[in-house]
Amino acid sequence: MAKQRALIIGGSVGGLFAANLMRSIGWDATVFERNPDELTGRGAGISTHPQLHDITKRLGIPFDETMGIHIDTVVFLARDGREYERRPTERLMSSWGRVFRSLRDLLPPDSYRLNMTLARIEQDTDGVTAIFTDGSRERGDILVGADGGRSTVRELFLPDRQPEYAGYVAWRAMLDERDVPPEIHAHLFENYTYCLPPGELFLAYPVPGRNNETEPGKRAYNIVWYRPTHPDKLADLCTDATGKSHGSSIPPPLIRPDVVAWIRGETRALVAPQVAEIFERDPRPFFQPIFDLDTPQIVFGRVALLGDAAFLMRPHPGAGTTKAALDAATLADALAAHGADAGLALYQRRQGAFGSGIVQQGRRDGAYLTDQLKPREQRRNKDLSWGVDDLMRDHEARSAEVLRIFNASRNLA
Ligand SMILES: Cc1cc2nc3c(=O)[nH]c(=O)nc-3n(C[C@H](O)[C@H](O)[C@H](O)COP(=O)(O)OP(=O)(O)OC[C@H]3O[C@@H](n4cnc5c(N)ncnc54)[C@H](O)[C@@H]3O)c2cc1C
């Protein structure tokens, strides 16, 4: 009997988890990625959860010391650089590129096709057809939309559901370990560092290097700085040097030089000088406006949404990659146990509940930042100051919370 075939739209981590797990249950799976060139990690660091480690292990990828960097200490730095709090922790920081590479290497080359942009979908009782912008057509038994937060697949079925701006952006910077000044490296590099300018959240930690190295000397230092940003200010940040507006996000190379100079000045004024120095040394800091989206439906006939295409969550639970992996594993298990129709229905029930729960968790975690744009008298006490205990409690509860939301969704038969 011919193998059943899954068409996977989107070749990032969600699409790769889906393709590898579908192949592990005996399906044929082909990934179609719109980019003409191989995707590369832009160095973005990611937190990881035990559920992610379990799924990579299931694919034969041990989540060992080559996958990320263990951190056992959290420090809080005051504006003048003084360390005012130090706590034990247990975190494993990986990078998008490291996870991507390990999943990509598992797939046979002809199962991953670049320069294929999905335009339309047709379905009938026997299967589904993907139609690409070059006019080519591919036929499969199911289609998985793993095409990210601005998903074409979701847009085709839910054109009125658009991601909502959360009211803040994440500024990001990265520096190779060898470029971190030695005196700063000695005190800072191995720790997870917080600075808490009023109403903001600044995080810094080591991640695998640009080519995924985890050996000392070859790693990188990653900064994520959440800053409440009014929509008018965001529109200005997203306007390039020619005056062209790019809407609510702008490609990093087009960020205006005066915006880069401004954010460097803000860094010097607001965060500890050690981390400000690292931020300033990155020649190309960039920002990501934070959006989220709770989705009422993730299965449409033979089409299923997965990862950020299904639910876009704020980054605070640090679980976007973990959720994409759990979506893919749940889909593969449901198809293996129940076949396409009943399997997709079970996927809708379980991952619909899980995704919605994680989006709500991200909103709770990010409420402090969103609420900063409200008039002061409308803010709750919690919004006016955010301290060590709040952050440590939220962090320590995070993996357990992701597990609790996931386990609750398993009870849906
Ligand atoms: C500031 C920030 C911090 C984060 N921190 C973490 C963290 O600590 N831990 C964590 O786990 N996650 C984190 N995330 C989230 C994580 O990056 C995403 O959840 C994850 O990359 C989702 O993967 P995905 O495959 O679903 O989507 P994406 O990575 O967005 O990939 C979608 C792919 O689909 C392709 N595509 C789009 N349209 C089409 C089309 N029409 N045809 C063909 N291909 C198409 C795109 O080119 C892209 O390659 C963070 C995100 C942000 C913004």
Side-chain angles (χ1 to χ4, degrees), residues 65-114:
E65 65 284 354
T66 68
M67 290 297 283
I69 296 169
H70 282 278
I71 299 180
D72 59 17
T73 306
V74 170
V75 298
F76 288 78
L77 298 181
R79 157 72 197 89
D80 62 5
R82 184 177 42 88
E83 179 187 313
Y84 63 94
E85 190 75 40
R86 172 173 284 252
R87 300 266 177 108
T89 192
E90 199 182 318
R91 305 182 187 206
L92 178 56
M93 307 309 298
S94 187
S95 67
W96 179 93
R98 183 68 190 91
V99 176
F100 173 83
R101 194 69 256 159
S102 60
L103 295 169
R104 177 78 177 86
D105 288 347
L106 284 181
L107 266 193
D110 60 354
S111 298
Y112 189 98
R113 295 180 46 195
L114 290 165

Side-chain angles (χ1 to χ4, degrees), residues 9-15 32-35 39 45-49 52 93 96 116-119 132 146-153 170 172 205 224 226 288-290 306-309 313 315 317-324:
I9 309 301
S12 172
V13 288
F32 300 93
E33 165 57 45
R34 74 174 165 197
N35 270 290
L39 304 181
I46 57 165
S47 314
T48 68
H49 292 269
L52 175 68
M93 307 309 298
W96 179 93
M116 297 290 286
T117 303
L118 179 87
F132 296 88
D147 51 346
R150 300 279 167 189
S151 165
T152 306
V153 179
R172 305 198 69 152
Y205 46 85
V224 185
Y226 296 107
Q288 294 166 297
I290 303 302
L306 176 149
D308 282 8
M313 76 184 85
T321 309
T322 301
K323 180 189 158 305

